[in-house]
Amino acid sequence: YSKNKPKIENNSSVNQTIAFPIKSGYSGGIEINPTNGHLVISGAFNRDGKTTIVNTNTTTPKTLYVKSSFTGGGDIYLLNGSTMSVENGGSITGGTLYVENGTLSFSGTGNLSSTTDVRISKDKVMNLNNINVTVKSVAERGYSDGGTISLGSGTLTMEGGWTGTIYQNSISGSGSIVKKGTGVLSLYGTQNYY
């Protein structure tokens, strides 16, 4: 990842909110970093097909709260233990969301979309928190990596075609998995949801 991206960063210990619209104009994308304090994005964010990095302080990881529409495609990477929580009024459309080192969680009406893929790295978590979430596809990043989907009582609906593989012991909760469209969803091992 380039270290030369423009940044929106919270370096204070006080939670900060960005309430105005944002458009990613730099060809290399942008970083949105809840570094030392939580960061709330409540203004619309147009990624414009560019990469977005979410980074945090590795010793005391903070959360990026998404309370607006993240549109325009472009991939999103969660790094260094970052948590991205998609909240009431929050949605992410297009691109692929990589949970590389952190947690993707949801609250209230927060959702992704039928055009958004999710890839989960080893030991990282996608937590539905008992709500219903729609994605295009979901898969682990790599092979037999053991990323986790925690459903709670929520339903994860995969709307797209190719959906990939979710490996052993990586789905938990009392909720449901709904697979739509063409393609094959492969589940291996003993899953912990029912």
Side-chain angles (χ1 to χ4, degrees):
Y1 310 102
S2 169
K3 294 183 179 180
N4 299 318
K5 300 179 188 302
K7 299 178 181 179
I8 297 172
E9 193 162 82
N10 183 8
N11 283 318
S12 75
S13 59
V14 178
N15 299 346
Q16 301 291 338
T17 298
I18 306 294
F20 50 81
I22 305 166
K23 182 175 181 180
S24 182
Y26 174 62
S27 61
I30 191 171
E31 289 192 27
I32 302 180
N33 300 337
T35 307
N36 294 317
H38 301 307
L39 187 58
V40 178
I41 304 293
S42 61
F45 175 35
N46 180 355
R47 303 186 323 270
D48 197 29
K50 315 291 193 312
T51 298
T52 301
I53 303 295
V54 180
N55 219 331
T56 190
N57 186 321
T58 55
T59 56
T60 54
K62 302 301 179 182
T63 300
L64 174 66
Y65 294 97
V66 176
K67 295 189 175 184
S68 65
S69 57
F70 278 33
T71 61
D75 296 338
I76 299 173
Y77 291 83
L78 305 186
L79 305 179
N80 285 333
S82 302
T83 295
M84 173 185 276
S85 181
V86 188
E87 307 268 306
N88 279 327
S91 63
I92 299 173
T93 56
T96 300
L97 205 163
Y98 293 93
V99 186
E100 292 277 293
N101 188 346
T103 299
L104 172 64
S105 66
F106 299 87
S107 178
T109 60
N111 209 339
L112 300 184
S113 76
S114 60
T115 61
T116 306
D117 297 295
V118 177
R119 300 292 177 262
I120 308 170
S121 292
K122 184 177 181 180
D123 300 325
K124 308 314 171 208
V125 179
M126 177 179 177
N127 187 353
L128 271 61
N129 277 326
N130 306 312
I131 68 171
N132 300 334
V133 173
T134 297
V135 298
K136 179 180 179 183
S137 71
V138 63
E140 291 185 353
R141 189 129 153 87
Y143 298 94
S144 299
D145 276 346
T148 298
I149 297 173
S150 177
L151 299 171
S153 60
T155 297
L156 177 62
T157 300
M158 292 167 273
E159 293 272 4
W162 178 85
T163 305
T165 301
I166 301 174
Y167 289 91
Q168 58 271 16
N169 301 319
S170 57
I171 307 174
S172 64
S174 60
S176 302
I177 297 283
V178 176
K179 167 71 173 72
K180 297 183 178 180
T182 60
V184 176
L185 171 65
S186 300
L187 301 177
Y188 290 89
T190 303
Q191 302 297 332
N192 293 321
Y193 80 99
Y194 52 90

